[in-house]
Amino acid sequence: MTNQYDVVVIGSGVIGSSIAYHLSESKQKEILVIDKGFPLSGTSGSTQAWVWVHNKTPSWYGELSMYSAELYPFLERKIGDVEYKRTGGIAPFFNESDREKALRLAEKQAEVGIDIEVLNREQVLEKEPALSPTIAGATYSKIDGNVNPFRLVELYIKAAKRNGAEFSFYNPVIDIDKDNGNFTITTKEGVFYAKQLILAGGPWTKGLGELLGIDIPVKQVRGQIIVTEPLAPLIKHTIGGMRQADNGEILIGYSKEEVGYDRRTTLDVIQDTAKMAVDYLPDLARANIVRCFSGIRVMPHDGFPILGEIPEIDNAFIAVMHSGITLSPLVGTLMTELLTEGETSIDLKRLRFNRFNECNV
């Protein structure tokens, strides 16, 4: 391993590893990815891993998610089987008064090409007989699905390595300086130099920004997830809040809490999650819970990705967002375009860092 690179990516989660892989395809850059831990020890390894599109709003955000979901089949052909399943997604509602809201969602999403059906109770139960008969209806779209996050990140990294990218794990970044056009990245294991720098540290990106003297407007959000014992096939679709894995386990999670970097699970949230799950799928009342876990997600202050150049620091870039699993194929593609061609095939204006005027350098 040398200490001089064209690009250093900080963070090897699903976003950092996707950027490294897509950038490595061009064979134009010497790339190093630095991570304070090991891949999947953080957010990317503690998620339900939906590839979720249909009710992401406003519609431009849904459109971005749709583009990314459409890339998954092509991604698998290049890096291998990431166990991507386009199951279709169902978002139930329990009150008939929500039908008008669902119809408006379908109308707006249709403007950007997202096909949504608004189903009545009988139509929903025909698709998912295990859902509660107390539901009033649901929105449904074929575009939603899920993926195995462990396979996804592992194969991103393996493919990037085959293309020459290097990785340095268990290596926290201690300091970042910029001098004579180069970034100097001081880590626990040594000093590295880079012409271009990408911050992709997920929940830790705010701390990385402080090393550059900038305030990155993100917060940490905890999501708690419960996992059932393996069950006979019960649900076929990805349903708002839950999915069934290949081994029969059902992963369930609805919670969002701002508690800092606290990965403990708590009885009150687990009980609430279990109750909601039974409200959706009454058969789960007889299922045993075999484990619970939590993940710390990153959430930009306005909820939307921060992607592109960091203002007033030449050749510094940021890629931080919620829904990283859904967006990673598209983000890797766009960041590669930006670093190699200086422009992107999709306008990133809405996602630029400097939309947070009060947080500029």
Side-chain angles (χ1 to χ4, degrees):
M1 182 179 291
T2 69
N3 63 359
Q4 177 70 55
Y5 295 86
D6 295 314
V7 181
V8 165
V9 181
I10 303 178
S12 70
V14 71
I15 292 298
S17 61
S18 173
I19 293 170
Y21 161 65
H22 285 90
L23 194 56
S24 72
E25 283 189 302
S26 70
K27 305 287 181 69
Q28 296 180 26
K29 305 278 190 181
E30 297 292 329
I31 303 162
L32 172 67
V33 182
I34 302 172
D35 198 296
K36 68 180 185 59
F38 195 74
L40 296 159
S41 61
T43 302
S44 299
S46 53
T47 168
Q48 287 183 299
W50 301 348
V51 179
W52 191 256
V53 175
H54 90 256
N55 56 4
K56 295 274 186 70
T57 58
S59 55
W60 63 261
Y61 184 40
E63 185 179 27
L64 277 181
S65 301
M66 177 182 66
Y67 289 154
S68 199
E70 295 287 11
L71 290 173
Y72 262 100
F74 302 101
L75 178 70
E76 282 198 307
R77 292 177 197 169
K78 294 192 291 183
I79 69 173
D81 181 10
V82 298
E83 298 177 12
Y84 168 65
K85 299 179 185 64
R86 190 169 292 179
T87 59
I90 292 176
F93 52 85
F94 285 81
N95 296 304
E96 194 58 41
S97 59
D98 290 329
R99 183 170 302 280
E100 186 60 33
K101 183 178 174 183
L103 290 168
R104 286 198 302 272
L105 172 72
E107 183 178 348
K108 291 299 293 182
Q109 301 299 63
E111 294 175 2
V112 296
I114 301 171
D115 185 20
I116 295 177
E117 298 176 47
V118 180
L119 307 178
N120 60 33
R121 178 186 294 112
E122 290 71 26
Q123 290 169 320
V124 181
L125 295 178
E126 185 176 348
K127 288 186 180 297
E128 283 291 2
L131 278 167
S132 170
T134 63
I135 63 171
T139 52
Y140 165 76
S141 180
K142 294 178 181 176
I143 189 66
D144 302 302
N146 58 74
V147 68
N148 182 331
F150 297 93
R151 292 283 295 169
L152 178 62
V153 174
E154 176 191 6
L155 291 181
Y156 270 143
I157 292 173
K158 283 183 175 178
K161 286 182 175 178
R162 285 198 299 272
N163 291 335
E166 297 179 24
F167 288 77
S168 178
F169 300 127
Y170 298 115
N171 191 13
V173 172
I174 299 167
D175 197 16
I176 306 173
D177 286 313
K178 190 172 186 191
D179 190 29
N180 296 323
N182 267 346
F183 293 96
T184 301
I185 301 119
T186 303
T187 73
K188 180 182 176 183
E189 300 297 331
V191 177
F192 302 95
Y193 304 95
K195 298 172 186 173
Q196 295 173 307
L197 177 70
I198 303 173
L199 305 185
W204 298 276
T205 305
K206 193 175 187 66
L208 295 173
E210 290 169 358
L211 298 179
L212 281 171
I214 59 173
D215 181 16
I216 297 176
V218 296
K219 55 190 176 184
Q220 296 173 331
V221 178
R222 180 172 69 186
Q224 299 190 40
I225 295 172
I226 60 179
V227 184
T228 72
E229 63 186 327
L231 302 173
L234 183 64
I235 54 176
K236 296 180 291 184
H237 299 82
T238 303
I239 299 175
M242 65 181 78
R243 71 178 178 92
Q244 187 162 22
D246 286 351
N247 67 355
E249 294 177 343
I250 294 183
L251 287 75
I252 307 159
Y254 308 92
S255 63
K256 292 180 180 176
E257 308 164 86
E258 293 184 34
V259 293
Y261 197 84
D262 181 347
R263 292 190 64 174
R264 290 175 295 181
T265 54
T266 58
L267 182 59
D268 56 341
V269 172
I270 294 302
Q271 286 177 326
D272 287 345
T273 301
K275 181 180 183 308
M276 290 183 70
V278 172
D279 287 344
Y280 275 53
L281 291 174
D283 287 351
L284 288 180
R286 295 189 294 273
N288 290 311
I289 303 302
V290 295
R291 63 188 174 97
C292 307
F293 65 92
S294 76
I296 306 300
R297 334 292 185 201
V298 63
M299 182 67 79
H301 284 182
D302 62 2
F304 303 115
I306 307 173
L307 195 63
E309 296 96 340
I310 294 176
E312 300 185 24
I313 305 179
D314 289 343
N315 291 313
F317 303 84
I318 184 169
V320 62
M321 67 212 67
H322 201 65
S323 293
I325 294 287
T326 297
L327 293 169
S328 75
L330 181 67
V331 168
T333 301
L334 294 175
M335 289 300 290
T336 296
E337 292 174 350
L338 187 60
L339 267 71
T340 59
E341 302 169 21
E343 58 184 5
T344 54
S345 53
I346 294 174
D347 188 355
L348 299 183
K349 183 177 179 181
R350 286 193 175 100
L351 308 180
R352 289 188 308 202
F353 184 100
N354 60 7
R355 69 181 186 269
F356 303 97
N357 292 330
E358 71 277 13
C359 298
N360 285 350
V361 177

Short mmCIF file of all heavy atoms in Angstrom, two decimals, residues 51 66-80 82 84 86 143 329:
data_model
loop_
_atom_site.label_atom_id
_atom_site.label_comp_id
_atom_site.label_asym_id
_atom_site.label_seq_id
_atom_site.Cartn_x
_atom_site.Cartn_y
_atom_site.Cartn_z
N VAL A 51 -35.31 -2.17 -0.69
CA VAL A 51 -35.09 -1.32 -1.86
C VAL A 51 -36.47 -0.74 -2.13
O VAL A 51 -37.30 -1.34 -2.80
CB VAL A 51 -34.55 -2.13 -3.05
CG1 VAL A 51 -34.35 -1.22 -4.26
CG2 VAL A 51 -33.24 -2.82 -2.68
N MET A 66 -36.43 5.25 -7.72
CA MET A 66 -36.81 4.35 -8.81
C MET A 66 -35.63 4.10 -9.75
O MET A 66 -35.36 2.95 -10.14
CB MET A 66 -37.96 4.95 -9.60
CG MET A 66 -38.39 4.13 -10.81
SD MET A 66 -39.73 4.92 -11.74
CE MET A 66 -38.91 6.38 -12.37
N TYR A 67 -34.91 5.15 -10.10
CA TYR A 67 -33.74 4.97 -10.97
C TYR A 67 -32.75 3.99 -10.34
O TYR A 67 -32.17 3.15 -11.02
CB TYR A 67 -33.05 6.32 -11.20
CG TYR A 67 -33.80 7.28 -12.08
CD1 TYR A 67 -33.60 8.65 -11.96
CD2 TYR A 67 -34.71 6.85 -13.04
CE1 TYR A 67 -34.29 9.56 -12.77
CE2 TYR A 67 -35.40 7.75 -13.84
CZ TYR A 67 -35.18 9.10 -13.70
OH TYR A 67 -35.85 9.98 -14.50
N SER A 68 -32.55 4.15 -9.03
CA SER A 68 -31.58 3.28 -8.36
C SER A 68 -32.07 1.83 -8.32
O SER A 68 -31.30 0.90 -8.57
CB SER A 68 -31.31 3.80 -6.94
OG SER A 68 -30.12 3.27 -6.44
N ALA A 69 -33.36 1.66 -8.00
CA ALA A 69 -33.91 0.29 -7.98
C ALA A 69 -33.77 -0.36 -9.36
O ALA A 69 -33.50 -1.56 -9.46
CB ALA A 69 -35.38 0.33 -7.56
N GLU A 70 -33.94 0.43 -10.41
CA GLU A 70 -33.84 -0.12 -11.77
C GLU A 70 -32.41 -0.59 -12.07
O GLU A 70 -32.20 -1.41 -12.96
CB GLU A 70 -34.28 0.92 -12.80
CG GLU A 70 -35.75 1.31 -12.72
CD GLU A 70 -36.68 0.22 -13.25
OE1 GLU A 70 -36.21 -0.90 -13.49
OE2 GLU A 70 -37.88 0.51 -13.40
N LEU A 71 -31.43 -0.04 -11.36
CA LEU A 71 -30.04 -0.43 -11.61
C LEU A 71 -29.67 -1.77 -10.97
O LEU A 71 -28.67 -2.38 -11.35
CB LEU A 71 -29.10 0.66 -11.08
CG LEU A 71 -29.09 1.98 -11.86
CD1 LEU A 71 -28.24 3.02 -11.14
CD2 LEU A 71 -28.56 1.76 -13.27
N TYR A 72 -30.44 -2.22 -10.00
CA TYR A 72 -30.06 -3.43 -9.26
C TYR A 72 -29.85 -4.66 -10.15
O TYR A 72 -28.86 -5.39 -10.01
CB TYR A 72 -31.04 -3.72 -8.13
CG TYR A 72 -30.54 -3.21 -6.79
CD1 TYR A 72 -31.00 -2.02 -6.26
CD2 TYR A 72 -29.57 -3.90 -6.08
CE1 TYR A 72 -30.53 -1.54 -5.05
CE2 TYR A 72 -29.08 -3.43 -4.88
CZ TYR A 72 -29.56 -2.25 -4.37
OH TYR A 72 -29.08 -1.78 -3.17
N PRO A 73 -30.77 -4.96 -11.07
CA PRO A 73 -30.53 -6.15 -11.91
C PRO A 73 -29.23 -6.07 -12.72
O PRO A 73 -28.53 -7.08 -12.90
CB PRO A 73 -31.75 -6.18 -12.84
CG PRO A 73 -32.81 -5.43 -12.08
CD PRO A 73 -32.08 -4.35 -11.34
N PHE A 74 -28.89 -4.87 -13.18
CA PHE A 74 -27.65 -4.70 -13.93
C PHE A 74 -26.43 -4.83 -13.01
O PHE A 74 -25.40 -5.39 -13.39
CB PHE A 74 -27.65 -3.35 -14.64
CG PHE A 74 -28.81 -3.16 -15.57
CD1 PHE A 74 -29.91 -2.42 -15.20
CD2 PHE A 74 -28.81 -3.77 -16.83
CE1 PHE A 74 -30.99 -2.27 -16.05
CE2 PHE A 74 -29.90 -3.62 -17.69
CZ PHE A 74 -30.99 -2.88 -17.30
N LEU A 75 -26.59 -4.30 -11.80
CA LEU A 75 -25.50 -4.40 -10.83
C LEU A 75 -25.18 -5.87 -10.54
O LEU A 75 -24.01 -6.26 -10.48
CB LEU A 75 -25.90 -3.68 -9.53
CG LEU A 75 -24.89 -3.74 -8.40
CD1 LEU A 75 -23.65 -2.91 -8.73
CD2 LEU A 75 -25.51 -3.24 -7.09
N GLU A 76 -26.23 -6.68 -10.38
CA GLU A 76 -26.00 -8.10 -10.09
C GLU A 76 -25.25 -8.81 -11.21
O GLU A 76 -24.44 -9.71 -10.96
CB GLU A 76 -27.33 -8.81 -9.84
CG GLU A 76 -27.90 -8.54 -8.46
CD GLU A 76 -28.97 -9.56 -8.07
OE1 GLU A 76 -29.91 -9.74 -8.87
OE2 GLU A 76 -28.85 -10.15 -7.00
N ARG A 77 -25.51 -8.41 -12.43
CA ARG A 77 -24.79 -9.03 -13.54
C ARG A 77 -23.30 -8.72 -13.48
O ARG A 77 -22.47 -9.50 -13.97
CB ARG A 77 -25.36 -8.54 -14.87
CG ARG A 77 -26.78 -9.01 -15.15
CD ARG A 77 -27.30 -8.43 -16.45
NE ARG A 77 -28.74 -8.52 -16.53
CZ ARG A 77 -29.47 -7.93 -17.44
NH1 ARG A 77 -28.88 -7.19 -18.38
NH2 ARG A 77 -30.78 -8.05 -17.45
N LYS A 78 -22.96 -7.59 -12.87
CA LYS A 78 -21.55 -7.18 -12.83
C LYS A 78 -20.82 -7.70 -11.60
O LYS A 78 -19.66 -8.10 -11.70
CB LYS A 78 -21.46 -5.65 -12.90
CG LYS A 78 -21.95 -5.06 -14.22
CD LYS A 78 -21.57 -3.60 -14.36
CE LYS A 78 -22.33 -2.72 -13.40
NZ LYS A 78 -22.02 -1.29 -13.59
N ILE A 79 -21.47 -7.65 -10.43
CA ILE A 79 -20.72 -7.98 -9.21
C ILE A 79 -21.14 -9.32 -8.61
O ILE A 79 -20.45 -9.83 -7.73
CB ILE A 79 -20.82 -6.87 -8.14
CG1 ILE A 79 -22.23 -6.76 -7.56
CG2 ILE A 79 -20.37 -5.53 -8.73
CD1 ILE A 79 -22.32 -5.78 -6.38
N GLY A 80 -22.26 -9.89 -9.07
CA GLY A 80 -22.69 -11.18 -8.55
C GLY A 80 -24.02 -11.08 -7.83
O GLY A 80 -24.64 -10.01 -7.76
N VAL A 82 -26.53 -10.53 -5.27
CA VAL A 82 -26.69 -9.82 -4.00
C VAL A 82 -28.05 -10.14 -3.38
O VAL A 82 -28.48 -9.49 -2.44
CB VAL A 82 -26.51 -8.29 -4.17
CG1 VAL A 82 -25.11 -7.97 -4.64
CG2 VAL A 82 -27.56 -7.71 -5.11
N TYR A 84 -30.99 -9.76 -4.57
CA TYR A 84 -31.99 -8.72 -4.80
C TYR A 84 -33.29 -9.36 -5.25
O TYR A 84 -33.30 -10.19 -6.15
CB TYR A 84 -31.49 -7.73 -5.85
CG TYR A 84 -32.56 -6.78 -6.35
CD1 TYR A 84 -33.14 -5.85 -5.48
CD2 TYR A 84 -33.01 -6.83 -7.67
CE1 TYR A 84 -34.12 -4.98 -5.93
CE2 TYR A 84 -33.99 -5.96 -8.12
CZ TYR A 84 -34.55 -5.05 -7.24
OH TYR A 84 -35.53 -4.20 -7.70
N ARG A 86 -37.19 -8.26 -6.37
CA ARG A 86 -38.22 -7.25 -6.64
C ARG A 86 -39.56 -7.88 -6.31
O ARG A 86 -40.27 -8.38 -7.18
CB ARG A 86 -38.13 -6.78 -8.09
CG ARG A 86 -39.00 -5.58 -8.36
CD ARG A 86 -38.69 -4.95 -9.70
NE ARG A 86 -37.36 -4.33 -9.73
CZ ARG A 86 -36.84 -3.74 -10.78
NH1 ARG A 86 -37.51 -3.67 -11.91
NH2 ARG A 86 -35.64 -3.20 -10.71
N ILE A 143 -42.29 -2.05 -8.14
CA ILE A 143 -40.89 -1.65 -8.17
C ILE A 143 -40.15 -1.92 -6.87
O ILE A 143 -38.93 -2.01 -6.84
CB ILE A 143 -40.76 -0.15 -8.52
CG1 ILE A 143 -39.30 0.27 -8.78
CG2 ILE A 143 -41.37 0.70 -7.44
CD1 ILE A 143 -38.71 -0.38 -9.99
N PRO A 329 -26.71 2.03 -5.76
CA PRO A 329 -26.26 1.89 -7.16
C PRO A 329 -26.25 3.22 -7.90
O PRO A 329 -25.33 3.51 -8.67
CB PRO A 329 -27.28 0.92 -7.77
CG PRO A 329 -27.84 0.17 -6.61
CD PRO A 329 -27.88 1.16 -5.49
#
